[in-house]
Amino acid sequence: MEKTKSIFVDLNERSYTIVIGDDIYNGVAAYIEHFANNRQVAIITTPPVANFYLKKVIAAFQSEWQVISYQVPDGEESKSIAMAQHLYSWLIRNHFERKATIIALGGGVIGDLAGFIAATYLRGINLMHIPTSLLAQVDSSIGGKVGVNHSLGKNIIGAFYQPRLVISDISVLTTLPQEEFICGMGEIIKYGFIYDGDLFTGLEKKVNTINQHNPDELLPIVHRCIEIKSEIVTKDERESGLRAILNFGHTFGHAFESFYQYQGLKHGQAVLLGMKCALEVSRKLDLIAEPIFKRGLALIDHMQVELPPGINKPDINDLLKIVKHDKKVTQGRNNLVLLTAIGAAKVVPVEDESLLAKGFEAVLRKG
Ligand code: NAD
Ligand code: GLY
């Protein structure tokens, strides 16, 4: 496979290119030239990422560019209106104009936050994603969901706001902590489950070596996942149908995340656990046969994710209460994404609480 590839996300006037490669940050300014209509760039990042990559990205710009950078504290708490206020003030004080560009340099937290700032500052300025976590590269930097959290719920305030460009450099994954790598693997496995049986089979074969971050194996996988997400988003930008399948495992996963108050269980880990629950419900409804269920479970179990240790364990009733308030509930029914084959999924409205409980039990039995 060639070292640098591009994928075009075709969304009419909101179209953009995703560049995927190995050690490509020195080309950032050249890429930005394609859309930037002034020379102001504001990089929003976080200390762990800045330590490794901020200088390299800044160095790509010649002196005629006004490049400023802001490091927000690491972690989900930074996805807040309070942090957005700081960032607006910073942009205003630096006289940033409507034609300026925001670069989100970091994982999904930075992408969502910086994307929200780009969508709202001066009613919208250019956004460029430079995703540095595996999860952000294969998922959150594509498709335009941006936002911040509210004390009453995650991702409650936000917008659909497409970037002008995405640059995914897989060489930066070498510094990603293993736990974060596994979170990205959760989303990669999800694409295999819901959309691409060949990807799933490939993952089954290579799971041990992929987990060692082998770049030659990772590049085609990251590329394929970006292709899948781009295809889905192109067909259904605002989640009125197909895009909903990307939520496979998310209804259950969000319930776990919410129970632990977004601490101790990361989003990607929760998705891995949530997919176990969704598999269980798919089997109970006879949408998939036992061998498929077992294959699915085996691949997820390879990731070795469990509920956080300690006495604070959820029981079924805690989780059922949370799941009833899920964002995707309509007319009192949970719209679950369930599997119909390896590589195919559909949304199924589920009213029966005992079925949801069976799903959660798939994880609680072990926890
Ligand atoms: P994250 O942004 O917190 O990043 C994970 C950790 O890895 C952080 O500590 C970060 O500093 C560090 N990191 C990132 N890249 C690194 C690198 N190359 N080297 C060393 N350290 C690095 O978490 P995440 O898993 O990337 O994203 C989770 C967030 O994404 C959640 O807020 C979730 O809601 C959101 N999300 C959004 C979408 C979407 O479509 N917008 C989709 C999925 C998830
Ligand atoms: N991560 C789900 C979506 O982008 O729709």
Side-chain angles (χ1 to χ4, degrees), residues 139 142-143 145 187 190 229 233 239 243 246-247 250:
D139 187 359
I142 313 151
K145 283 188 181 176
E187 301 289 356
K190 178 188 82 179
K229 178 136 188 201
V233 164
E239 202 170 307
R243 185 166 179 170
L246 292 171
N247 296 320
H250 283 55

Side-chain angles (χ1 to χ4, degrees), residues 74 76 79 107-109 112 132-133 140 145 154 172 175 180:
D74 206 31
E76 188 67 34
K79 255 173 72 174
V109 165
D112 284 9
T132 61
S133 71
S140 59
K145 283 188 181 176
K154 204 178 165 215
V172 306
T175 56
E180 302 297 346

Side-chain angles (χ1 to χ4, degrees), residues 14-30:
R14 294 177 307 289
S15 300
Y16 52 98
T17 298
I18 302 172
V19 183
I20 308 148
D22 192 347
D23 199 10
I24 52 176
Y25 284 172
N26 53 6
V28 165

Side-chain angles (χ1 to χ4, degrees), residues 252-296:
F252 295 103
H254 281 156
F256 289 122
E257 274 186 284
S258 166
F259 176 82
Y260 289 103
Q261 299 179 331
Y262 305 98
Q263 276 155 19
L265 187 69
K266 295 172 190 295
H267 176 76
Q269 294 170 322
V271 168
L272 277 159
L273 295 176
M275 289 195 293
K276 269 184 159 180
C277 306
L279 270 180
E280 178 77 31
V281 177
S282 308
R283 174 175 69 157
K284 289 275 179 252
L285 288 176
D286 285 329
L287 295 172
I288 52 168
E290 192 67 18
I292 290 185
F293 172 78
K294 284 193 172 145
R295 275 176 68 194

Side-chain angles (χ1 to χ4, degrees), residues 68-197:
I68 60 172
S69 64
Y70 194 110
Q71 297 181 35
V72 305
D74 206 31
E76 188 67 34
E77 301 73 40
S78 282
K79 255 173 72 174
S80 68
I81 285 286
M83 185 54 70
Q85 283 283 11
H86 286 300
L87 291 167
Y88 295 137
S89 306
W90 168 65
L91 291 171
I92 295 165
R93 282 198 207 100
N94 281 285
H95 309 287
F96 262 56
E97 299 172 3
R98 278 199 80 173
K99 291 182 173 172
T101 300
I102 287 192
I103 295 183
L105 175 67
V109 165
I110 291 298
D112 284 9
L113 171 69
F116 181 72
I117 301 297
T120 48
Y121 179 71
L122 299 178
R123 297 197 183 87
I125 65 174
N126 292 327
L127 169 65
M128 172 171 169
H129 282 297
I130 305 188
T132 61
S133 71
L134 184 58
L135 182 141
Q137 294 192 350
V138 298
D139 187 359
S140 59
S141 62
I142 313 151
K145 283 188 181 176
V146 299
V148 294
N149 301 325
H150 186 276
S151 58
L152 297 179
K154 204 178 165 215
N155 296 332
I156 294 283
I157 302 157
F160 285 97
Y161 194 73
Q162 303 295 342
R164 303 295 303 269
L165 181 74
V166 182
I167 295 196
S168 275
D169 185 332
I170 63 145
S171 72
V172 306
L173 300 176
T174 50
T175 56
L176 192 66
Q178 181 62 11
E179 205 181 27
E180 302 297 346
F181 187 84
I182 294 294
C183 288
M185 283 304 296
E187 301 289 356
I188 288 175
I189 292 171
K190 178 188 82 179
Y191 292 123
F193 271 130
I194 61 167
Y195 206 77
D196 185 344

